[in-house]
Amino acid sequence: MHVVKRGGGAAVELFQAQSNSAAPTGAILFVHGNQGGRLLGAKEFADSGALLRFSSGLSITAAAVSQPGFGASDGPTDFCGPDTQQAIIVALSFLREQPCVDPDRIVLYGNSRGAVAAAMVAAQVADLRAIVLSSGVYDLKAAFENSSPGIRQAIESEAGLSSKAFMARSALHHAHKIRSEILLLHGRHDDRAPVAQAEAFSEALSDAGVPVALNVFECGHRIPREDSQAALRPFLKRAFEGGPTRY
């Protein structure tokens, strides 16, 4: 476990597993979702064995970052807003500086709430090798208007309801700033993040000239691992073995 600092000296927690390769390898950074109120943060990836599985399976460094208010990362939570985005950016910078990491082969992977923030980071960090976004929303105002009372309350309490707050968390409106290839994973029957969100974002990225692939699965918000892996494995293998595809 590592602790780095973001703006104001706030702590950002990371967990990391690295390959035994003598030469620098690629790296993947995971950004967790809501976690059902458990607030475990990145520790979930370490405890489940996901970091070791990705690290050994792809011969890369695999890391996970805790969003503000989760795990040992200083809060408060801000529903994927500027503080969360800054925590992810700081974690990416930490990875980039590791001798075991090839800075030109870093992939960012956000799930659910993590996908909302990771998509916004993609609009701010131009040198990522690729981005994977699973079960996210990319127009938060539209999502808010159609969400359950619980999600609406979380957005209002953590982010507020100003136009500025929605814009700072809605990657759909920043697609033209993104420079890295993107893989979108989404459930057709997702009742938290409607598939139309992924479809609209995919179209906006394509219109902006961003290489994008959208995979829609016959499931809800939680995509079965066996389904996501079928799309994820070849994408990551190409990302870590091939040359850059940023434009």
Side-chain angles (χ1 to χ4, degrees), residues 195-237:
V195 68
Q197 288 266 336
E199 292 169 340
F201 190 40
S202 178
E203 183 176 351
L205 289 166
S206 182
D207 289 346
V210 181
V212 57
L214 169 61
N215 286 259
V216 178
F217 306 95
E218 297 301 324
C219 62
H221 187 66
R222 187 180 182 89
I223 301 172
R225 181 171 150 192
E226 58 270 22
D227 291 344
S228 63
Q229 289 298 310
L232 191 59
R233 280 196 196 99
F235 181 83
L236 291 180
K237 184 176 181 181

Side-chain angles (χ1 to χ4, degrees), residues 29-241:
L29 179 67
F30 292 98
V31 188
H32 60 83
N34 190 53
Q35 301 181 318
R38 292 178 296 160
L39 304 181
L40 294 174
K43 190 173 185 292
E44 179 180 45
F45 293 92
D47 290 349
S48 69
L51 296 185
L52 284 174
R53 186 170 65 250
F54 274 85
S55 178
S56 60
L58 292 166
S59 296
I60 60 168
T61 292
V65 59
S66 296
Q67 299 181 42
F70 289 78
S73 286
D74 289 338
T77 56
D78 69 342
F79 207 93
C80 316
D83 286 347
T84 298
Q85 294 163 35
Q86 187 59 38
I88 297 169
I89 291 170
V90 166
L92 289 169
S93 296
F94 173 83
L95 281 179
R96 195 174 286 114
E97 294 167 0
Q98 300 308 300
C100 61
V101 172
D102 178 350
D104 291 326
R105 290 189 292 157
I106 296 178
V107 173
L108 179 61
Y109 189 147
N111 176 62
S112 187
R113 181 172 174 136
V116 179
M120 286 299 302
V121 169
Q124 301 169 61
V125 180
D127 61 351
L128 293 170
R129 176 63 182 84
I131 299 122
V132 181
L133 303 172
S134 176
S135 305
V137 298
Y138 311 104
D139 182 343
L140 191 60
K141 185 175 182 180
F144 174 83
E145 292 171 350
N146 295 283
S147 291
S148 67
I151 294 177
R152 288 168 65 97
Q153 182 179 4
I155 293 173
E156 183 172 4
S157 63
E158 293 184 36
L161 302 181
S162 69
S163 296
K164 181 179 179 180
F166 284 125
M167 185 63 69
R169 296 162 173 83
S170 299
L172 178 69
H173 304 295
H174 303 272
H176 61 286
K177 303 174 188 174
I178 295 175
R179 295 290 180 270
S180 303
E181 181 178 9
I182 291 186
L183 174 65
L184 295 171
L185 307 173
H186 218 95
R188 190 181 306 279
H189 311 293
D190 194 327
D191 59 350
R192 301 184 199 175
V195 68
Q197 288 266 336
E199 292 169 340
F201 190 40
S202 178
E203 183 176 351
L205 289 166
S206 182
D207 289 346
V210 181
V212 57
L214 169 61
N215 286 259
V216 178
F217 306 95
E218 297 301 324
C219 62
H221 187 66
R222 187 180 182 89
I223 301 172
R225 181 171 150 192
E226 58 270 22
D227 291 344
S228 63
Q229 289 298 310
L232 191 59
R233 280 196 196 99
F235 181 83
L236 291 180
K237 184 176 181 181
R238 181 167 54 83
F240 291 124
E241 294 180 357

